[in-house]
Amino acid sequence: MTTRLGLGLPQMRQYSIGKDVPDVARAAERIGYESLWVFERALFPEPATQGLYNMAGVPWPDEYRNVADPLVTLALAATATERAELGSSVLVAPLHMPFQLAKALASLDVASGGRVIAGLGTGWSLDEYAASAVRPFEERGKVLDEIIEVCRAVWGPDPVGYDGTLTKIASAVVGPKPVRPIPVMLAAGNRRAFQRLVDHADGWLPAGFSAEQVAGQWRQLRELAEERGRTRPIRTVLRVNTAREAKPYEGADRRPFQGSVEQIVSDLVEHAALGLDEILLDLQSGARDAQELKDVAAEVFEKARAAGV
């Protein structure tokens, strides 16, 4: 059985969002991609006092200077497609009020005919939290917990009731309701986050580092699920951010998924062997425009399938 492949939608400044998002979404669906994805980057601090992913001294990519809103981007893709799932990898959940986010995701699911995947994470940027967060950075885990609970409540049967720190719903009719239960997937990389995922979420959104690292985390997550008595399967979607230039990475010659199309496909083969359900390819940063993004997406898809991915 082949691994499902998803494609990151164009959100960066080299794209004309209103024209290019529907165009790329339609093309991706024709090519055979089974899902379309967005990420969230609220701002670009200048000067940046915090390294990328909170790693000291690692600069923010220049592409992050201009990133379109993820929910607007997904709405544009929803109107242009019929089958592909529409997911976020990830929404920085604590930058959003729980009730409004639940309503927006439900509305998007109805508009798309039941194709939304709610991929959530806590984020890492102190500047983004200062500008937009509903609670301090130190409370991000608690906020994510409440967001998941509010989403489940709002998406569930009426009357809706919820009594939380940020959200108070005495008793109300809340619509529209999602077409089907929206899968909640979480970015997680430590035991506390894994426990939240095992207890409260439908799936996992790992990042595309080395196959050995991903395999180790996947093993830990499955062991924890068994330990906590979870019997439901955990859906997995691996995000990989590609780059044309191969750069040294943690003692290796390069970071995975950097370099030529052939090298990216070779890395896809290695990661597909881990048995994850799906791999999301974000190719947008290396493309000059939408046409090049579509061309590269088609080439990668064709060669990946030929290689058995």
Side-chain angles (χ1 to χ4, degrees):
M1 189 170 106
T2 56
T3 304
R4 286 168 52 96
L5 293 177
L7 183 70
L9 289 166
Q11 294 175 260
M12 297 174 179
R13 65 181 174 185
Q14 68 265 46
Y15 302 105
S16 174
I17 302 303
K19 176 174 67 73
D20 291 344
V21 171
D23 182 34
V24 170
R26 280 190 294 266
E29 197 171 64
R30 287 196 303 269
I31 291 166
Y33 285 96
E34 296 180 82
S35 57
L36 302 167
W37 296 82
V38 293
F39 73 102
E40 182 161 34
R41 197 80 283 136
L43 49 73
F44 187 101
E46 196 167 46
T49 57
Q50 182 184 19
L52 182 69
Y53 306 134
N54 202 25
M55 295 187 295
V58 180
W60 290 46
D62 194 58
E63 294 88 351
Y64 285 177
R65 290 179 179 275
N66 189 325
V67 177
D69 179 85
L71 295 180
V72 171
T73 304
L74 285 181
L76 289 167
T79 65
T81 54
E82 297 178 355
R83 301 179 305 279
E85 289 188 286
L86 305 166
S88 53
S89 179
V90 295
L91 285 177
V92 184
L95 303 186
H96 302 264
M97 288 299 295
F99 183 81
Q100 284 85 347
L101 181 59
K103 281 274 293 184
L105 290 168
S107 299
L108 182 59
D109 192 68
V110 172
S112 66
R115 294 185 280 142
V116 168
I117 300 169
L120 309 176
T122 56
W124 50 269
S125 169
L126 298 177
D127 293 280
E128 289 183 339
Y129 268 76
S132 183
V134 298
R135 295 294 296 168
F137 183 78
E138 293 74 21
E139 298 178 29
R140 61 195 183 280
K142 293 180 180 178
V143 174
L144 178 56
D145 289 337
E146 180 162 328
I147 286 173
I148 295 171
E149 291 174 357
V150 171
C151 283
R152 303 288 197 202
V154 167
W155 299 340
D158 293 320
V160 174
Y162 186 82
D163 185 12
T165 301
L166 297 167
T167 311
K168 309 283 186 182
I169 310 171
S171 180
V173 174
V174 184
K177 301 295 185 184
V179 174
R180 86 303 184 234
I182 296 176
V184 174
M185 303 187 68
L186 300 180
N190 58 52
R191 185 174 177 85
R192 180 179 296 181
F194 281 161
Q195 184 171 318
R196 176 184 293 114
L197 191 160
V198 167
D199 292 347
H200 302 296
D202 301 294
W204 180 43
L205 297 168
F209 299 112
S210 71
E212 292 78 13
Q213 287 175 293
V214 177
Q217 289 189 327
W218 181 217
R219 182 173 57 254
Q220 292 171 32
L221 181 56
R222 285 178 293 175
E223 289 172 353
L224 182 61
E226 183 177 0
E227 175 186 319
R228 298 184 70 79
R230 175 170 173 145
T231 57
R232 289 186 299 127
I234 296 174
R235 181 175 177 179
T236 51
V237 180
L238 174 72
R239 163 177 272 279
V240 296
N241 298 319
T242 66
R244 290 185 174 183
E245 287 188 41
K247 299 178 181 178
Y249 176 65
E250 292 185 2
D253 292 336
R254 60 176 187 87
R255 180 170 179 161
F257 300 101
Q258 293 191 344
S260 65
V261 167
E262 289 73 20
Q263 185 61 65
I264 290 169
V265 171
S266 175
D267 290 332
L268 275 175
V269 171
E270 183 179 12
H271 284 71
L274 301 178
L276 303 178
D277 298 313
E278 185 167 351
I279 298 177
L280 148 64
L281 287 158
D282 197 323
L283 305 165
Q284 65 176 307
S285 65
R288 291 185 298 270
D289 52 30
Q291 185 58 55
E292 184 173 5
L293 176 57
K294 291 186 293 183
D295 291 344
V296 174
E299 184 181 3
V300 170
F301 187 91
E302 179 182 354
K303 291 183 176 179
R305 289 300 186 227
V309 175

